[in-house]
Amino acid sequence: ESVYQQANLFCLPSLWEGLGIVILEAGASAVPVVASNVGGIPEMVIDQETGLLVPSGDVESLSHALRALLQDPARAREMGAAGRARVEQHFALPRTIEKYRTMYESLK
C-alpha cells in the first residue's frame, strides 16, 4: 500500500507549478486533490470533478476546500475515483509514449 492510499486527500498549494507529478501519483492512487490553479495543474485536476482548484496564495479558499472534502467523504471518494480514471485515460505510460511518438514523427 502506498502512502497516497493511506491519505484522505492530497494537497498541493503551489505558487507556481509545471507538471506536478505528485498529482498524477495521488490520482493514480484514487486520492482526491486540492491544489492551486496554476501552471499545468488544471490539466491534471478538473475542478469539482477530480478535485478542487483554489487561487494560488488564497489561504481561506484552500482551507475551505480542504474542509469541504474532509467533511464529505463520499464526495471525496467520487473525486478520487474520477481522478484515477483521468490518470489512466490521459497520463498512463502507454498513452504518454504514444503522444511523444506522434509529436516526434510530426517533426520529421
Side-chain angles (χ1 to χ4, degrees):
E1 187 171 288
S2 77
V3 172
Y4 294 106
Q5 291 168 323
Q6 297 174 30
N8 293 322
L9 58 85
F10 178 79
C11 181
L12 187 65
S14 298
L15 297 176
W16 180 91
E17 193 72 47
L19 183 68
I21 299 301
V22 293
I23 290 176
L24 297 179
E25 292 171 345
S29 296
V31 176
V33 174
V34 174
S36 301
N37 191 4
V38 296
I41 292 175
E43 285 183 54
M44 297 175 285
V45 178
I46 306 303
D47 191 36
Q48 304 295 323
E49 184 180 322
T50 65
L52 300 174
L53 294 175
V54 298
S56 181
D58 186 340
V59 176
E60 187 174 326
S61 292
L62 179 64
S63 65
H64 176 75
L66 291 169
R67 270 194 311 274
L69 288 185
L70 290 172
Q71 292 174 351
D72 191 347
R75 182 178 181 212
R77 280 190 302 276
E78 289 173 8
M79 286 184 172
R84 182 178 175 111
R86 180 158 177 78
V87 168
E88 289 173 351
Q89 183 177 8
H90 297 283
F91 299 100
L93 188 57
R95 176 83 171 131
T96 302
I97 290 168
E98 179 60 27
K99 284 181 182 179
Y100 277 115
R101 188 184 65 74
T102 301
M103 179 186 67
Y104 286 132
E105 286 179 353
S106 73
L107 299 173
K108 290 182 181 179

